[in-house]
Amino acid sequence: HTIGTMVGRSNTTADTVGVAIDAQWIAAKTLCTSPHTSNSIAAFQWAMNPDGNPSTITDMPDAISCSWHDPNTTNECSGLYKQTFDAVETAGIAIVFSAGNGGPNASTITKPKNINTNEVNVFAIGAIDGAQFLSGSTNPIASFSSRGPSVCGGTGSLLIKPEVSAPGVSVRSSGTATGYNSLSGTSMAAPHVAGAIGLLKQFAPSLTGHQIKMALYNTATDLGPAGEDNNYGKGLIDLVAAYMSLGTPDTIPPSRITDLQVLDPTSNSLRLTWTAPLDTSMGGVI
């Protein structure tokens, strides 16, 4: 179901349940395994070098979507998970986590998503009811969506959890070998964000996971109380706004000005005229 939300497209009906349709995915089986913590850490380490060749980087995922929690986490705020997540981010990979389904009480973000090395390092995703939002609600938070603040402390944005929100109520995706079903949970919200990162990475392949998450974070649609809060974080992700904020990489210079003219000179003024050069880049000359 989560993979379908990230990349799904039916080969028979062309039904597009995914955000980054047809993107390649890989997986590491850590759920329902023991010991959970060490297996999950090993999976993150593997993701930084899946092909076993340290001289290649094209095998690394652009985003790692995690719709799970680890109740066995120890020393959450500064322990092994934090060290691992810092390393994964340094490698340029974006980590995305479901915030948890412990709402509506405060500080119910599940482990290890409370870590807050920076604003987006562990990108915890809250869940909204998409139908309510489309009907005009400005407070469509799912009652089950886990709330902040982070138990790891900090000030300002570092204290606030989740980071952003995405649809997580009655999300339709691949559910069986032959069909679809609808599920609810922050586990359904997180893969929307991972898929969005995949699309933005295709558009701007030179950007790091951290940079792309910052684009989604800074352009999210504010919901609930004004400003960043412990229900929605920065708000509902807006993929188009994030795309626009990144700008189009401009490799073609504007055309040269060839008809500059000086008109109506006086002792203290003159008028310049020219034809505006052609520049097709986003935000360029119109």
Side-chain angles (χ1 to χ4, degrees), residues 27-79:
K29 186 180 185 299
T30 65
L31 299 183
C32 304
T33 62
S34 181
H36 190 318
T37 300
S38 61
N39 286 340
S40 296
I41 295 296
F44 284 110
Q45 293 173 328
W46 168 77
M48 289 187 280
N49 187 20
D51 67 356
N53 183 353
S55 65
T56 61
I57 60 172
T58 55
D59 57 311
M60 292 194 304
D62 298 323
I64 301 175
S65 187
C66 305
S67 288
W68 54 266
H69 74 285
D70 182 359
N72 299 322
T73 302
T74 58
N75 192 16
E76 177 183 11
C77 302
S78 58

Coordinates of all heavy atoms in Angstrom, one line a residue, residues 27-79:
A27 N 13.6 -2.1 -1.4 CA 13.1 -2.3 0.0 C 14.1 -3.1 0.8 O 14.8 -3.9 0.3 CB 11.7 -2.9 0.0
A28 N 14.0 -2.8 2.1 CA 14.8 -3.6 3.1 C 13.8 -4.2 4.1 O 13.1 -3.4 4.7 CB 15.9 -2.8 3.8
K29 N 13.8 -5.5 4.3 CA 12.8 -6.1 5.2 C 13.3 -6.0 6.6 O 14.2 -6.7 7.0 CB 12.5 -7.5 4.8 CG 11.4 -8.2 5.7 CD 11.2 -9.6 5.2 CE 10.0 -10.2 6.0 NZ 10.2 -10.2 7.4
T30 N 12.7 -5.1 7.4 CA 13.1 -5.0 8.8 C 11.9 -5.1 9.7 O 12.0 -5.4 10.9 CB 13.7 -3.6 9.1 OG1 12.8 -2.6 8.9 CG2 15.0 -3.4 8.2
L31 N 10.6 -4.9 9.2 CA 9.4 -5.0 10.0 C 9.2 -6.4 10.4 O 9.5 -7.4 9.7 CB 8.2 -4.5 9.2 CG 8.2 -3.1 8.8 CD1 6.9 -2.7 8.1 CD2 8.5 -2.1 9.9
C32 N 8.8 -6.6 11.7 CA 8.4 -7.9 12.2 C 9.7 -8.8 12.3 O 9.6 -10.0 12.1 CB 7.3 -8.6 11.4 SG 5.8 -7.6 11.3
T33 N 10.8 -8.2 12.4 CA 12.1 -8.9 12.6 C 12.7 -8.6 14.0 O 12.3 -7.5 14.6 CB 13.1 -8.6 11.5 OG1 13.5 -7.2 11.6 CG2 12.6 -8.9 10.1
S34 N 13.5 -9.4 14.5 CA 14.1 -9.2 15.8 C 15.6 -9.5 15.7 O 16.0 -10.5 15.0 CB 13.4 -10.1 16.8 OG 14.0 -9.9 18.1
P35 N 16.4 -8.6 16.3 CA 16.1 -7.4 17.0 C 15.8 -6.2 16.0 O 16.5 -6.0 15.1 CB 17.4 -7.1 17.8 CG 18.5 -7.7 17.0 CD 17.9 -8.9 16.3
H36 N 14.7 -5.5 16.3 CA 14.2 -4.5 15.4 C 15.2 -3.4 15.2 O 15.5 -3.0 14.1 CB 12.9 -3.9 16.0 CG 12.1 -3.0 15.1 ND1 12.7 -2.0 14.3 CD2 10.8 -2.9 14.9 CE1 11.8 -1.4 13.7 NE2 10.6 -1.9 14.0
T37 N 15.8 -2.9 16.3 CA 16.7 -1.7 16.2 C 17.9 -2.0 15.4 O 18.2 -1.3 14.4 CB 17.1 -1.3 17.6 OG1 16.0 -0.9 18.4 CG2 18.1 -0.1 17.5
S38 N 18.6 -3.1 15.7 CA 19.8 -3.4 14.9 C 19.5 -3.7 13.5 O 20.3 -3.3 12.6 CB 20.6 -4.6 15.6 OG 19.8 -5.7 15.6
N39 N 18.4 -4.4 13.2 CA 18.1 -4.6 11.8 C 17.7 -3.3 11.0 O 18.1 -3.2 9.9 CB 16.9 -5.6 11.7 CG 17.3 -7.0 12.0 OD1 18.4 -7.4 12.0 ND2 16.3 -7.8 12.4
S40 N 17.0 -2.4 11.7 CA 16.7 -1.1 11.1 C 18.0 -0.3 10.8 O 18.1 0.3 9.7 CB 15.7 -0.4 11.9 OG 14.5 -1.1 12.0
I41 N 18.9 -0.3 11.8 CA 20.1 0.5 11.6 C 20.9 -0.1 10.4 O 21.4 0.6 9.6 CB 21.0 0.4 12.9 CG1 20.3 1.2 14.0 CG2 22.4 1.0 12.6 CD1 20.1 2.6 13.8
A42 N 20.9 -1.5 10.3 CA 21.6 -2.1 9.2 C 21.0 -1.8 7.9 O 21.7 -1.6 6.9 CB 21.6 -3.6 9.4
A43 N 19.7 -1.6 7.9 CA 19.0 -1.3 6.6 C 19.4 0.1 6.2 O 19.6 0.4 5.0 CB 17.5 -1.3 6.8
F44 N 19.5 1.1 7.1 CA 19.9 2.4 6.7 C 21.4 2.4 6.2 O 21.7 3.1 5.3 CB 19.8 3.4 7.9 CG 18.3 3.8 8.2 CD1 17.7 3.4 9.3 CD2 17.7 4.7 7.3 CE1 16.4 3.8 9.6 CE2 16.4 5.1 7.6 CZ 15.7 4.6 8.7
Q45 N 22.2 1.6 6.9 CA 23.6 1.5 6.4 C 23.7 1.0 5.0 O 24.4 1.4 4.2 CB 24.4 0.7 7.4 CG 24.6 1.3 8.8 CD 25.2 0.4 9.8 OE1 25.0 -0.8 9.8 NE2 25.9 1.0 10.7
W46 N 22.9 -0.1 4.8 CA 22.8 -0.7 3.4 C 22.4 0.3 2.4 O 22.9 0.4 1.3 CB 21.9 -1.9 3.5 CG 21.5 -2.4 2.1 CD1 22.3 -3.2 1.3 CD2 20.3 -2.2 1.4 NE1 21.6 -3.5 0.1 CE2 20.4 -2.9 0.2 CE3 19.1 -1.5 1.7 CZ2 19.4 -2.9 -0.8 CZ3 18.1 -1.6 0.8 CH2 18.2 -2.2 -0.4
A47 N 21.4 1.2 2.8 CA 20.8 2.1 1.8 C 21.9 3.1 1.3 O 21.7 3.7 0.2 CB 19.7 2.9 2.4
M48 N 22.9 3.3 2.1 CA 24.0 4.3 1.7 C 24.9 3.6 0.7 O 25.7 4.3 0.0 CB 24.7 4.8 2.9 CG 23.9 5.8 3.7 SD 24.9 6.6 5.1 CE 24.9 5.2 6.3
N49 N 24.8 2.3 0.5 CA 25.7 1.6 -0.5 C 25.1 0.3 -0.9 O 25.6 -0.8 -0.7 CB 27.1 1.4 0.1 CG 28.1 0.9 -0.9 OD1 27.9 1.0 -2.1 ND2 29.1 0.3 -0.4
P50 N 23.9 0.3 -1.6 CA 23.2 -0.9 -1.8 C 24.0 -1.9 -2.7 O 23.8 -3.1 -2.6 CB 21.9 -0.4 -2.6 CG 21.7 1.0 -2.1 CD 23.1 1.5 -1.9
D51 N 24.8 -1.4 -3.7 CA 25.5 -2.3 -4.6 C 26.8 -2.8 -4.0 O 27.5 -3.5 -4.7 CB 25.6 -1.7 -6.0 CG 26.6 -0.5 -6.0 OD1 27.1 -0.1 -4.9 OD2 26.9 0.1 -7.1
G52 N 27.2 -2.3 -2.8 CA 28.4 -2.7 -2.2 C 29.7 -2.1 -2.8 O 30.8 -2.5 -2.5
N53 N 29.5 -1.2 -3.7 CA 30.6 -0.5 -4.4 C 30.7 0.9 -3.9 O 29.9 1.8 -4.3 CB 30.5 -0.6 -5.9 CG 31.7 0.0 -6.6 OD1 32.6 0.6 -6.0 ND2 31.7 -0.1 -8.0
P54 N 31.7 1.3 -3.1 CA 31.8 2.6 -2.5 C 32.1 3.7 -3.5 O 32.0 4.9 -3.2 CB 32.9 2.5 -1.4 CG 33.7 1.3 -1.9 CD 32.7 0.4 -2.5
S55 N 32.5 3.3 -4.7 CA 32.8 4.3 -5.7 C 31.6 4.7 -6.6 O 31.8 5.6 -7.4 CB 33.9 3.8 -6.7 OG 33.4 2.7 -7.4
T56 N 30.5 4.1 -6.3 CA 29.2 4.5 -7.1 C 28.2 5.2 -6.1 O 28.2 4.8 -4.9 CB 28.6 3.3 -7.7 OG1 28.2 2.4 -6.7 CG2 29.5 2.7 -8.7
I57 N 27.5 6.1 -6.6 CA 26.4 6.7 -5.8 C 25.0 6.7 -6.4 O 24.0 7.0 -5.8 CB 26.8 8.2 -5.5 CG1 26.9 9.0 -6.8 CG2 28.0 8.3 -4.7 CD1 27.0 10.5 -6.6
T58 N 25.0 6.3 -7.7 CA 23.7 6.2 -8.4 C 22.8 5.1 -7.9 O 21.6 5.1 -8.2 CB 23.9 6.0 -9.9 OG1 24.7 4.8 -10.1 CG2 24.6 7.2 -10.5
D59 N 23.3 4.2 -7.1 CA 22.5 3.1 -6.5 C 21.8 3.6 -5.2 O 20.8 2.9 -4.8 CB 23.4 1.9 -6.2 CG 24.5 2.3 -5.3 OD1 25.2 3.3 -5.6 OD2 24.7 1.6 -4.3
M60 N 22.2 4.7 -4.7 CA 21.6 5.2 -3.4 C 20.2 5.7 -3.7 O 19.9 6.4 -4.7 CB 22.4 6.3 -2.8 CG 23.7 5.8 -2.2 SD 24.5 7.1 -1.1 CE 24.5 8.5 -2.2
P61 N 19.2 5.4 -2.8 CA 17.9 6.0 -2.9 C 17.8 7.5 -2.7 O 18.7 8.0 -2.0 CB 17.0 5.3 -1.9 CG 18.1 4.9 -0.8 CD 19.3 4.6 -1.5
D62 N 16.9 8.1 -3.4 CA 16.7 9.6 -3.2 C 16.0 9.8 -1.9 O 16.2 10.8 -1.2 CB 15.9 10.2 -4.3 CG 16.6 10.1 -5.7 OD1 17.8 10.2 -5.7 OD2 15.9 9.8 -6.7
A63 N 15.1 8.9 -1.5 CA 14.3 9.0 -0.3 C 14.1 7.7 0.3 O 14.0 6.7 -0.4 CB 13.0 9.7 -0.5
I64 N 14.0 7.6 1.7 CA 13.7 6.4 2.4 C 12.4 6.7 3.2 O 12.4 7.5 4.1 CB 14.8 6.0 3.4 CG1 16.1 5.8 2.6 CG2 14.4 4.7 4.1 CD1 17.3 5.5 3.5
S65 N 11.3 6.0 2.8 CA 10.0 6.2 3.4 C 9.8 5.1 4.5 O 9.9 3.9 4.2 CB 8.9 6.1 2.4 OG 7.7 6.4 3.0
C66 N 9.6 5.5 5.7 CA 9.5 4.6 6.9 C 8.1 4.8 7.5 O 7.9 5.8 8.3 CB 10.6 5.0 7.9 SG 12.2 4.9 7.2
S67 N 7.2 3.8 7.3 CA 5.9 3.8 7.9 C 6.0 2.8 9.1 O 5.2 1.8 9.0 CB 4.8 3.5 6.9 OG 4.6 4.6 6.0
W68 N 6.8 3.0 10.0 CA 7.0 2.1 11.2 C 7.5 2.9 12.4 O 8.0 4.1 12.2 CB 7.9 1.0 10.8 CG 9.2 1.3 10.3 CD1 9.6 1.4 8.9 CD2 10.4 1.6 11.0 NE1 10.9 1.8 8.8 CE2 11.5 1.9 10.0 CE3 10.8 1.7 12.3 CZ2 12.8 2.3 10.4 CZ3 12.1 2.1 12.7 CH2 13.1 2.3 11.7
H69 N 7.5 2.3 13.5 CA 8.2 2.9 14.7 C 8.9 1.7 15.4 O 8.6 0.6 15.2 CB 7.2 3.5 15.6 CG 6.3 2.6 16.4 ND1 5.2 1.9 15.8 CD2 6.3 2.2 17.7 CE1 4.7 1.2 16.8 NE2 5.3 1.3 17.9
D70 N 9.8 2.1 16.3 CA 10.6 1.1 17.0 C 10.4 1.4 18.5 O 11.1 2.2 19.1 CB 12.1 1.3 16.6 CG 13.0 0.2 17.3 OD1 12.4 -0.6 18.1 OD2 14.2 0.3 17.1
P71 N 9.5 0.6 19.1 CA 9.3 0.8 20.6 C 10.5 0.4 21.4 O 10.6 0.8 22.6 CB 8.1 -0.1 20.9 CG 8.1 -1.1 19.8 CD 8.7 -0.4 18.6
N72 N 11.5 -0.3 20.8 CA 12.6 -0.7 21.6 C 13.8 0.3 21.6 O 14.9 0.1 22.1 CB 13.2 -2.0 21.0 CG 12.1 -3.1 21.1 OD1 11.4 -3.2 22.1 ND2 12.1 -4.0 20.1
T73 N 13.5 1.5 20.9 CA 14.5 2.5 20.8 C 15.0 2.9 22.2 O 14.2 3.2 23.1 CB 14.0 3.7 20.1 OG1 13.5 3.3 18.8 CG2 15.0 4.8 19.9
T74 N 16.3 3.0 22.4 CA 16.9 3.5 23.6 C 17.7 4.8 23.3 O 18.3 4.9 22.2 CB 17.8 2.5 24.3 OG1 18.8 2.1 23.4 CG2 17.0 1.2 24.7
N75 N 17.7 5.7 24.3 CA 18.5 6.9 24.1 C 18.1 7.6 22.8 O 19.0 7.9 21.9 CB 20.0 6.6 24.2 CG 20.8 7.9 24.3 OD1 20.3 9.0 24.7 ND2 22.1 7.8 24.0
E76 N 16.8 7.8 22.5 CA 16.3 8.2 21.2 C 17.0 9.5 20.7 O 17.3 9.6 19.6 CB 14.8 8.4 21.3 CG 14.2 8.9 20.0 CD 12.7 9.2 20.1 OE1 12.2 9.2 21.2 OE2 12.1 9.4 19.1
C77 N 17.1 10.5 21.6 CA 17.5 11.8 21.2 C 19.0 12.0 20.8 O 19.3 12.9 20.1 CB 17.1 12.8 22.3 SG 15.4 12.8 22.7
S78 N 19.8 11.1 21.3 CA 21.3 11.3 21.0 C 22.0 9.9 20.7 O 23.2 9.9 20.6 CB 22.0 12.0 22.1 OG 21.8 11.3 23.3
G79 N 21.2 8.8 20.6 CA 21.8 7.5 20.5 C 22.1 7.1 19.0 O 22.3 7.9 18.1

